[in-house]
Structure formats: C-alpha cells, structure tokens
Amino acid sequence: MYRRWSLVRQGKLNLLRFLRLQGAPDEIAKGMAIGIFIGMTPTLGFQMLIAIFVAIWLKENKIAAALGVWITNPVTAAPIYALEYESGRRLLQMAPLRFPEELTFAAMKTLGWDLMVPLLFGSLIYAVICSIIAYAVTLRFIPFFKTWRVPRWPRRRTPKI
C-alpha cells in the first residue's frame, strides 16, 4: 500500500538521510543554526548558496546548513517576512509603508529604503533568536535521532504455492 505513495516514501527517505548525517552533533547543530540564520534574512534566491558558502568558510556541516535555509519556503516566506517587517518597523518607530501615487524612480527608491530598513532590522533579530533555538534543539536531539531505528516498509506477503 505504501509503495504507491511515492511522495510519502520520498519524505521518509529524506528524513533518513537527514538523520544519518555524518559528523559530530555540534558540527551538525552549528550547520543547522547557520542555515536558519541565513534563511531568516531576506536574501531570497541566494539563501542556499550563502548558507553553503558560510558553512564551508566556518568548516561546519554544509548539508545541515542547506536544509536549515528551508525554514523560509514558498509557504512560510510571506508570513515570516511580514512579521519581521512589522517588528522592525515598530522597534524603529517608523510609520507604516505607503505606496506612492506616481511610480517614479525617486518614489521607488524611497519605497525600497522604507521597506528594507525595517525588514533587515527585524530579520536580524529573528535570525539570531531562531538560530540559537535551532542550535540548542538540534544539539539536544541529534544523539537521540542517531540511535533511532526507523521501521521498514511493510512487505507484501506472497502466497506460497
């Protein structure tokens, strides 16, 4: 029955690959924290490259860093960035963003700064908090997951003739 569910099977295989990452728990946890940190910043399109480059530079786990970036995926990116923008805007005590009536270069330039400054400020705050939490949780659970035995798929019994 499960063999027909290729998406479920692929998810299980990817989970097994993640659980069996080679390296010390500290190295994997640091790689995950790097990925989460980069994933919380508004660097869409370049997040995975940046995370792998930083993981190589700091000599941490590159696969865990690449996986951590997926905290902002197509489903979660909009709510995360909206929360980061609103938090940054309130902490910097800036007025809410208003779209210009005319789309001139100067208006778009002002709009860009009014959007990016609070978004960057809020994203750095959430990136630090989330990466610290991700490091602690990953470091705590890696030894448990390394010893965890995932059951095999049920096998279809063929009648003996």
Side-chain angles (χ1 to χ4, degrees):
M1 179 173 154
Y2 292 115
R3 293 176 194 258
R4 286 184 260 149
W5 297 359
S6 63
L7 191 62
V8 174
R9 187 171 193 284
Q10 190 63 41
K12 183 177 177 180
L13 290 174
N14 287 336
L15 175 67
L16 285 172
R17 286 185 190 128
F18 176 67
L19 296 178
R20 294 177 181 159
L21 280 177
Q22 299 297 317
D26 186 54
E27 181 182 319
I28 295 171
K30 285 179 185 176
M32 182 61 75
I34 289 168
I36 297 285
F37 185 89
I38 301 297
M40 294 299 283
T41 59
T43 53
L44 283 174
F46 300 102
Q47 290 176 333
M48 199 168 295
L49 292 172
I50 295 169
I52 292 172
F53 175 74
V54 171
I56 290 170
W57 181 49
L58 296 176
K59 295 182 175 113
E60 301 301 340
N61 196 301
K62 294 164 277 309
I63 297 172
L67 289 173
V69 164
W70 281 94
I71 191 168
T72 50
N73 56 56
V75 175
T76 62
I80 287 174
Y81 292 147
L83 178 68
E84 290 173 349
Y85 166 76
E86 191 61 29
S87 299
R89 185 188 67 78
R90 289 180 187 256
L91 287 172
L92 294 173
Q93 299 176 350
M94 294 177 72
L97 189 64
R98 300 183 86 175
F99 285 98
E101 293 178 12
E102 295 180 15
L103 292 178
T104 62
F105 180 74
M108 294 306 289
K109 185 176 170 183
T110 304
L111 177 67
W113 282 110
D114 289 344
L115 175 70
M116 287 308 291
V117 169
L119 181 60
L120 286 172
F121 186 72
S123 71
L124 288 177
I125 292 170
Y126 282 105
V128 169
I129 292 169
C130 290
S131 63
I132 289 171
I133 292 170
Y135 175 77
V137 169
T138 307
L139 187 62
R140 173 122 170 111
F141 284 108
I142 285 291
F144 168 73
F145 285 132
K146 290 271 188 187
T147 60
W148 185 42
R149 299 297 300 167
V150 179
R152 293 182 60 89
W153 291 99
R155 295 182 183 219
R156 193 182 305 176
R157 297 183 185 250
T158 57
K160 294 182 179 180
I161 300 175

